[in-house]
Amino acid sequence: MTPTTPTATADKTAPGPVPGLLKLPAHIARWATLAGATGVLLSTFLAWTWTAAFPGNLTVDLYPGGLQVLALTGALLTLLFALSAQGVRGLGWLTPGGKHSPVLLLALGTAATTLYSVAAIAQKLGGLVNLEPGGWIAGIASVVLLVGALGLPADTPGDAVRPPTSPHQRLLHSFKAPTPERGPVLPSWAEILIIAAVVGAGLEVFAYGISTPYGELFIGYLLTTGFALAAITRSGLNRRLSAVTARHRNVTVAAAFIAAFIFPLTQTSEAYATLGAYILIFATVALGLNVVVGLAGLLDLGYVAFLGVGAYAAALVSGSPYSTLDVQFPFWAAVLTGIGASLVFGVVIGAPTLRLRGDYLAIVTLGFGEIFRIAMQNMDGTSGPNVTNGPNGIPNIPDLEILGFNLGEEHTILGFELGRFSNYYLLMLIFTGIVVLVFRRSDQSRIGRAWVAIREDETAARAMGINAFRLKLMAFALGATLAGMAGTVQAHVTFTVTPTQYKFVEVVPPNSAFLLAAVILGGMGTVSGPLIGAALLYLIPEKLEFMAEYQLLLFGIALVLLMRFRPEGLVADRRKQLEFHDTGQLDVPKAGLTKAGV
């Protein structure tokens, strides 16, 4: 009997390379990916259609425009990552370990953007006959790119036990988290330059998205940026950047706020500053809800009511001719009035309800949100006391004036013209900074750690001596206060306050459903997550007005897909990543459990 050598055993059990979704030879898949990306890249310098009736003017050779710019960007990134995965000198830092899943994600995004562009041209102009040679080359090259990328070998983590067999398992295996790599340690000045470059790139990407003039371009923008960010995450570059920003946290925060301050100065239209102001209002309220849901774990479905309390309180003391109080407070007094009213309502509503948990608390807060809206609608002097003018609300709210600086007038600062919405954008940026500071201080404090303990297991937290009710009431009151502060600015930005602005769900945010979605999709318990989630959820309905009938349907589909592939949110903290993904430990063989008697 010949004994089995360790080498032979290792050869039989060692996992081989995991094939891609399409069973192609590795070298053919790589070359097809490179050829497809190159073809899409070159096609953007040719005309895609013969008429300028399709937005973006895709009729000019050697000058990409509109959707061609997005296809060019996606193809260029795909080429860089594909060459990196093949070991090209100087690009290895993009895909450490020769990973192919970032290439697959970028190829999917590039192909989706290009094929969508071809389909949009055919649908708008009346058939594929309206394509010029550049459009045909783009469509064919994107199909070649997609086939080649799906045939690339999947990433093989170091802890893999056996390769998957079914196509569905192979596709999911491509996106399994590999063993994290450590990047090179750079000098401090170089890391600060990297932070500045990343923040500048983020500002450029955000400004491009907010200034897209038509819906087709915005859809292509979402496809390109979404897959590109996913590829960066899969490549591990985000972990390296996180390590750099953690070492220079103050520099990162300062750079982010400087970039946000520069945004209105870079816009040529006041309409984009308008979107920026509304996004900051929505994002600030979402960050306040993150205190309640993300830190304390209290499911609040009526949070938008606190925004309404602050807005109505500020409107009543704003000096509006339709206000029943007939008073006009200065700016700081109006803000304190809105904050105080929201704080009182938060304590009054939270005191009797926070002894409930889970679904019961969610139903009670949902009821409070509807009670607030109906109460504001009935205080018209007929169905109730004359306080809020009922369904008509409080219109003609005057603009704020701070130290003689009227925010409703145009001003010139450092040679830049700032209109009304640019002024309110900068004011909301200050309020957002205050909310971020409060959130970060609360999260890192003893109270913040107690909130997290209550969120994870309230029974265990009580057993450790934590006064759960008092701390939950503090979180509820703090979240209400932050929402009320944003509401005071919203009342002046919108000129009017009506009950219909504070429904539970509506196509146009802010409302309780979209606020909660912004927190969950962005990443609970983080600072940047709700800000990003709120920006996306506000921009999408604004930019896709031509799909108004299907917006909620598409929103539901996006929720399902994101919860399936990234349940921890777009920006997740370490705890959520460990909760929703594998820990990287080996599976225990069933034979061992059987022998142990389990």
Side-chain angles (χ1 to χ4, degrees), residues 44-62:
T44 60
F45 293 93
L46 301 175
W48 282 10
T49 184
W50 61 275
T51 173
F54 187 83
N57 192 13
L58 309 183
T59 64
V60 182
D61 291 329
L62 302 178

Side-chain angles (χ1 to χ4, degrees), residues 330-391:
F331 164 72
W332 61 269
V335 172
L336 291 180
T337 301
I339 290 175
S342 299
L343 175 61
V344 170
F345 270 83
V347 173
V348 170
I349 299 301
T353 60
L354 288 178
R355 298 188 187 277
L356 301 174
R357 298 189 192 180
D359 301 337
Y360 303 100
L361 177 62
I363 293 173
V364 169
T365 55
L366 175 61
F368 164 65
E370 289 301 298
I371 289 171
F372 167 78
R373 182 179 62 83
I374 295 172
M376 296 299 104
Q377 189 169 336
N378 290 336
M379 290 183 180
D380 56 356
T382 302
S383 302
N386 186 17
V387 178
T388 64
N389 295 326

